[in-house]
Amino acid sequence: MSVAAQPLANDHAHEEGHHEPTFIEKYIFSTDHKMIAKQYLITGLIMGFIGIAMSMLMRLQLAWPNETFWIYEVLLGRFGEDGVMDPSIYLALSTIHGTIMIFYVLTAGLSGTFSNLLIPLQIGARDMASGFINMLSYWLFALSCVVIVSSFFVEAGPASSGWTVYPPLSALPQAIGGSGLGMTLWLVAITIFIASSLLGSLNYIVTVLNLRTQGMTMTRLPLTIWAFFVTAIIGVVSFPVLLAAGLLLLMDRSFGTSFFLSDIYIQGEVLSYQGGSPVLYEHLFWFLGHPEVYIVLLPALGITSEIIATNSRKPIFGYRAMIASILAIAFLSTVVWGHHMFVSGMNPFLGSVFTFTTLLIAIPSGVKAFNYITTLWKGNLQLNPAMLFSIGLVSTFVTGGLTGIILGDSTLDINVHDTYFVIAHFHLVMGISALYGLFAGIYHWFPKMFGRMMSKNLGYVHFWITAVGAYGIFFPMHFIGMAGLPRRYYKFTEFPYFDDLADTNILISVFAFITAAAQIFFVYNFIHSIFYGKKAEQNPWKSNTLEWTTPVKHIHGNWPGEIPKVYRWSYDYSKRNKEDTDYIIAGQDFVPQNVPVQDNEEEMNE
């Protein structure tokens, strides 16, 4: 049940009498959801560029494995002596790159930014349910970022067992250099990150359930809010399982327990561990790991729903089907984790069960893709950068999803497991799709965050180079994966069988460098527009949702007077009057949610 306009006195929302915050209160320890959203965004972008830098070092090594590069020595220190990359640091780069991009950029950077920015603004709330918990969530995230990056500065190097940190490599500090202090820091960082994520998720859930403005029923919520709400629920269900796995792994490492270890020999020495199983860790990790795909993807899909409807000037097609597909994806995401473990020796019957549930998830995913395409069909398309990135997301979601059908089938997956085919699949369907959602959201809501517009022309350059480059990187990877090229190897020159694939690796690396360079256009556009961009009007995209009814200049409590009431759903675009002579509001092809139902219109069946 929605809550009527929240009392101004209770949440200190009125501007009058609200003391002017100090610099530290406003920009550092802020409890204002809009400022916390900016903190998440800028921290997430910084982590993103650290992650991209790591992938560039890996691509340089893979393309020219026998060459020396001074950049290795500059960035990697003793691991890049004489311009030659140490094999151990390649695995560390791969581990930390995956961890940063999946958790720190696409989970916290995407969900943390837009859940914070949009939930109160789009449901008509003064702020989050708890401003303090919101602030605490961000600072735990920031602390976790510092811990994970600091692992590069320990003597033996950062964690080096892949982003999945499978034992026994991750459970035995003496196994390799990257199993030592760097691995412990990884586990500490992830523990802090999970605490941050859970605090944030609980706050989002409570805010959506309890603080909606008068008239904002659940079926009038924008699809962005549905996506953020369900993502938060998935996080609350699945992140504690990874926390349990991480704590058990810490105990195996430091306190002599045997949860994940049994019958281990190192250099002829028999260790005392008995009775544990690394497969148990795999089950615990992937019970988070697959829902994590949708924790990353659903916010991007929600953002895309809003942007495609707004820029097609059409109602979103199949609103209730879109909600149902979000709920179905959330449920199914918790019963498919075993498809990551087809080669772990699982019972073939269990493999067939996980194959069935995995292929089942294609149905709600297909519903979303078809509904996006139908919304675009015959729309009055406004092809601004946000819209282009949203359409790009639909493209990569479909193309990446198709290869998921192969990997979801146990008999087919066994042939390409742990090859570049897997890398290509999940980078397209999860990585690139979610990044496109992040970029689309930034271009679309930048005026709401910073009160200025980003350059459209620089946005076009950014999109087209990124879009062509992304397919240039990951499309050829499918073929080298089908040829059997295994992932996580730092060079393939020892295997004559792979000599024919060397040129393809060079091609992929060239596309990677070009695509990474294109992000400079985005960084310049982002920073320059914050200070010198064209000043934004209140509703630059002619959108219906409540955030565009707030003043351009941010104020405490979002609205200066009463919170607006809601009378309709958020997708009344190009709605005609009963006589079909004009739009509902003459000369205006959108009807904001706070506009009462007119005499000359038929109410939509929300």
Side-chain angles (χ1 to χ4, degrees), residues 173-252:
Q174 68 271 44
I176 57 173
S179 299
L181 179 58
M183 187 66 239
T184 305
L185 288 171
W186 189 97
L187 288 166
V188 169
I190 289 299
T191 302
I192 298 168
F193 177 86
I194 293 169
S196 158
S197 176
L198 290 174
L199 286 173
S201 295
L202 290 169
N203 215 1
Y204 306 151
I205 293 167
V206 171
T207 304
V208 171
L209 290 178
N210 290 335
L211 296 185
R212 303 191 308 281
T213 187
Q214 195 170 333
M216 181 63 86
T217 58
M218 293 298 279
T219 50
R220 286 177 175 169
L221 286 173
L223 288 170
T224 37
I225 302 302
W226 270 105
F228 300 145
F229 175 61
V230 172
T231 299
I233 293 171
I234 301 174
V236 167
V237 168
S238 57
F239 264 121
V241 181
L242 179 64
L243 180 63
L247 292 175
L248 295 180
L249 192 55
L250 269 173
M251 291 173 77
D252 274 11

Side-chain angles (χ1 to χ4, degrees), residues 469-525:
Y471 274 129
I473 296 164
F474 298 112
F475 195 68
M477 272 191 198
H478 292 94
F479 298 110
I480 61 176
M482 285 191 286
L485 198 73
R487 60 179 180 166
R488 294 182 182 160
Y489 283 38
Y490 92 117
K491 67 177 183 180
F492 300 97
T493 50
E494 311 301 319
F495 308 98
Y497 175 72
F498 296 129
D499 286 351
D500 290 345
L501 304 179
D503 288 344
T504 311
N505 252 330
I506 292 172
L507 177 71
I508 291 169
S509 290
V510 169
F511 272 116
F513 299 140
I514 293 169
T515 309
Q519 307 319 305
I520 295 168
F521 290 103
F522 168 75
V523 173
Y524 172 79
N525 194 359

Side-chain angles (χ1 to χ4, degrees), residues 303-304 307 385-386 389-390 435-445:
I303 286 166
T304 295
I307 292 172
F389 274 110
S390 297
L435 270 180
Y436 283 178
L438 176 65
F439 285 137
I442 291 170
Y443 281 107
H444 189 75
W445 280 288

Side-chain angles (χ1 to χ4, degrees), residues 304-316 375 387 571 573:
T304 295
S305 303
E306 181 64 29
I307 292 172
I308 284 180
T310 300
N311 290 297
S312 297
R313 314 310 294 164
K314 278 177 66 181
I316 192 82
T375 304
M387 181 64 152
Y571 298 106
Y573 292 105

Side-chain angles (χ1 to χ4, degrees), residues 57 60 67-86 89:
L57 289 171
L60 197 59
E67 302 291 325
T68 58
F69 295 98
W70 59 267
I71 194 80
Y72 295 159
E73 197 155 12
V74 171
L75 294 179
L76 303 176
R78 71 181 185 84
F79 294 106
E81 271 181 23
D82 302 323
V84 177
M85 183 182 286
D86 188 286
I89 200 68

Side-chain angles (χ1 to χ4, degrees), residues 359 395-408 421 425 429 478:
L359 298 182
S395 169
T396 54
F397 184 56
V398 171
T399 49
L402 286 172
T403 53
I405 295 171
I406 295 167
L407 294 170
F421 191 90
H425 159 71
V429 79
H478 292 94

Side-chain angles (χ1 to χ4, degrees), residues 61-346:
Q61 169 64 24
L62 289 169
W64 298 283
N66 295 322
E67 302 291 325
T68 58
F69 295 98
W70 59 267
I71 194 80
Y72 295 159
E73 197 155 12
V74 171
L75 294 179
L76 303 176
R78 71 181 185 84
F79 294 106
E81 271 181 23
D82 302 323
V84 177
M85 183 182 286
D86 188 286
S88 66
I89 200 68
Y90 180 86
L91 189 53
L93 287 170
S94 141
T95 302
I96 307 297
H97 164 76
T99 305
I100 283 178
M101 297 309 280
I102 291 168
F103 292 116
Y104 292 85
V105 181
L106 298 179
T107 301
L110 180 58
S111 203
T113 299
F114 292 105
S115 296
N116 268 301
L117 178 72
L118 296 177
I119 287 176
L121 288 172
Q122 289 194 338
I123 68 171
R126 294 290 181 193
D127 207 314
M128 284 290 178
S130 169
F132 174 76
I133 287 179
N134 209 13
M135 177 193 75
L136 192 60
S137 167
Y138 167 73
W139 281 107
L140 284 172
F141 166 60
L143 175 62
S144 181
C145 291
V146 171
V147 174
I148 196 89
V149 171
S150 71
S151 70
F152 265 93
F153 299 95
V154 300
E155 189 179 357
S160 304
S161 46
W163 79 276
T164 53
V165 297
Y166 283 172
L169 199 56
S170 58
L172 298 168
Q174 68 271 44
I176 57 173
S179 299
L181 179 58
M183 187 66 239
T184 305
L185 288 171
W186 189 97
L187 288 166
V188 169
I190 289 299
T191 302
I192 298 168
F193 177 86
I194 293 169
S196 158
S197 176
L198 290 174
L199 286 173
S201 295
L202 290 169
N203 215 1
Y204 306 151
I205 293 167
V206 171
T207 304
V208 171
L209 290 178
N210 290 335
L211 296 185
R212 303 191 308 281
T213 187
Q214 195 170 333
M216 181 63 86
T217 58
M218 293 298 279
T219 50
R220 286 177 175 169
L221 286 173
L223 288 170
T224 37
I225 302 302
W226 270 105
F228 300 145
F229 175 61
V230 172
T231 299
I233 293 171
I234 301 174
V236 167
V237 168
S238 57
F239 264 121
V241 181
L242 179 64
L243 180 63
L247 292 175
L248 295 180
L249 192 55
L250 269 173
M251 291 173 77
D252 274 11
R253 289 172 58 79
S254 306
F255 302 110
T257 57
S258 301
F259 292 107
F260 307 131
L261 295 170
S262 186
D263 305 315
I264 300 287
Y265 298 79
I266 288 191
Q267 294 170 345
E269 180 194 350
V270 183
L271 302 186
S272 59
Y273 299 104
Q274 280 296 320
S277 169
V279 176
L280 169 61
Y281 175 86
E282 288 189 39
H283 279 292
L284 294 173
F285 181 89
W286 287 115
F287 189 82
L288 160 89
H290 202 81
E292 171 66 17
V293 171
Y294 294 99
I295 290 171
V296 163
L297 204 46
L298 281 179
L301 293 172
I303 286 166
T304 295
S305 303
E306 181 64 29
I307 292 172
I308 284 180
T310 300
N311 290 297
S312 297
R313 314 310 294 164
K314 278 177 66 181
I316 192 82
F317 183 84
Y319 173 78
R320 285 176 183 264
M322 292 293 252
I323 295 172
S325 68
I326 290 172
L327 295 171
I329 284 171
F331 169 71
L332 289 171
S333 75
T334 61
V335 291
V336 297
W337 79 89
H339 67 219
H340 296 271
M341 300 170 56
F342 286 144
V343 298
S344 67
M346 70 160 55

Side-chain angles (χ1 to χ4, degrees), residues 4 39 82-83 131 183 227 261 319 357 360 391 411 506 561 570-571 580:
Q39 290 174 324
D82 302 323
M183 187 66 239
L261 295 170
Y319 173 78
T357 55
L360 211 57
I391 295 170
T411 51
I506 292 172
S570 55
Y571 298 106
D580 198 22

